Amino acid sequence: MPGPAESLAGQFTEQRKTVPPVQLLSNEKPSKGERTRQRILEIAQASVLAKGFAATSIEEVIAEAGITKSGFFYHFRDKNELAREMLRRYVAENDDVFDEIFGRAAELTDDPLQRFLLALKLLSELSRDLPGGHPGCLVASICYQERLFDPQVLELNTSSVLRWNARFLGYIEDIAAVYPPREPIALEDLARALTCIFDGAIIMAKALKDPGQLERQVLAYRTLVKTLFSR
């Protein structure tokens, strides 16, 4: 029989299939300039994840976007400014995913352990539904090539990871307040392990050409949390 988190995850998955997305009550549409800017960021991110920042040239981004060089520099002063905005966009997209999934889990159950287990289940299902697997982690890509970036990019990268760690730690501290862990463990390390699993599983999936790695590693972490805190 499925547990509470599994049942709630199934309900949420079915709702996502049948309920149409919420439409914002706004007639505002992005301007042509904003659409061009977002297109540049999309192209640059795909290229950086595929072959790295050093191998991504402004010229190829311009050609793919179908704009002039002056058009590119209208939006971005240089390659480091492009990197900063690309990273902000990437982090915001990930924050939106976490907000939706953990927020929805909080709506479905008040129990902090079941809430966290449900969110991990939903994250695993989300990773399974990605066509061809996760495209890669921009944060990790910047870490591997940090000499190419200015201090602002590196500081933004660090602060993003610290924010995600703090988010996960908050969830785990809520669990530990109700369900003391069965084994001694530093809660901060357990929280950081989830961030490590996301990035590590993406690397493992690419190295082994196995797109299911992320889903399975998130579920393995979920089993660890369930075993550690269940009464």
Side-chain angles (χ1 to χ4, degrees):
M1 294 289 291
E6 285 82 357
S7 298
L8 291 171
Q11 294 173 21
F12 181 51
T13 301
E14 288 304 313
Q15 289 175 7
R16 292 184 67 182
K17 291 178 181 176
T18 57
V19 178
V22 175
Q23 300 295 326
L24 298 178
L25 298 178
S26 173
N27 293 323
E28 293 184 8
K29 293 182 180 180
S31 65
K32 181 180 179 181
E34 181 58 27
R35 292 197 301 272
T36 299
R37 180 183 177 85
Q38 292 303 316
R39 175 67 175 151
I40 293 170
L41 291 170
E42 289 172 5
I43 293 168
Q45 179 175 312
S47 180
V48 169
L49 291 178
K51 57 185 181 181
F53 191 72
T56 298
S57 69
I58 290 176
E59 287 71 20
E60 74 170 272
V61 173
I62 289 171
E64 180 73 17
I67 60 175
T68 64
K69 201 164 189 176
S70 61
F72 175 88
F73 287 112
Y74 172 81
H75 293 285
F76 304 100
R77 184 173 62 252
D78 54 29
K79 205 174 175 184
N80 266 290
E81 184 177 352
L82 173 65
R84 283 194 297 275
E85 294 308 312
M86 186 167 49
L87 181 57
R88 288 192 182 101
R89 179 176 178 273
Y90 177 85
V91 170
E93 288 174 347
N94 279 272
D95 284 342
D96 287 345
V97 170
F98 291 144
D99 287 344
E100 178 187 357
I101 286 181
F102 284 96
R104 183 59 174 150
E107 292 175 359
L108 293 173
T109 176
D110 293 328
D111 184 282
L113 177 58
Q114 292 302 321
R115 188 163 60 226
F116 193 61
L117 296 178
L118 170 59
L120 291 175
K121 179 70 172 175
L122 295 174
L123 280 171
S124 73
E125 292 177 356
L126 181 64
S127 65
R128 181 183 61 206
D129 293 339
L130 292 172
H134 198 287
C137 178
L138 193 60
V139 170
S141 180
I142 290 173
C143 288
Y144 299 148
Q145 304 176 75
E146 61 179 14
R147 293 184 180 181
L148 301 175
F149 302 96
D150 66 19
Q152 287 181 293
V153 174
L154 300 180
E155 183 180 351
L156 177 59
N157 210 39
T158 299
S159 65
S160 301
V161 174
L162 290 174
R163 255 201 359 264
W164 287 331
N165 288 343
R167 175 197 284 263
F168 301 144
L169 178 59
Y171 300 143
I172 290 173
E173 286 178 336
D174 289 344
I175 296 171
V178 180
Y179 302 94
R182 298 160 65 94
E183 298 289 340
I185 189 170
L187 300 184
E188 186 174 5
D189 289 339
L190 184 61
R192 290 183 173 187
L194 183 53
T195 306
C196 293
I197 281 173
F198 285 137
D199 287 341
I202 291 170
I203 294 170
M204 187 73 69
K206 289 186 176 297
L208 301 180
K209 294 181 172 50
D210 178 8
Q213 279 289 328
L214 181 55
E215 178 191 6
R216 296 198 301 275
Q217 294 300 327
V218 171
L219 290 176
Y221 178 82
R222 181 180 181 275
T223 299
L224 170 63
V225 171
K226 187 176 183 179
T227 303
L228 189 60
F229 291 104
S230 294
R231 287 170 179 164

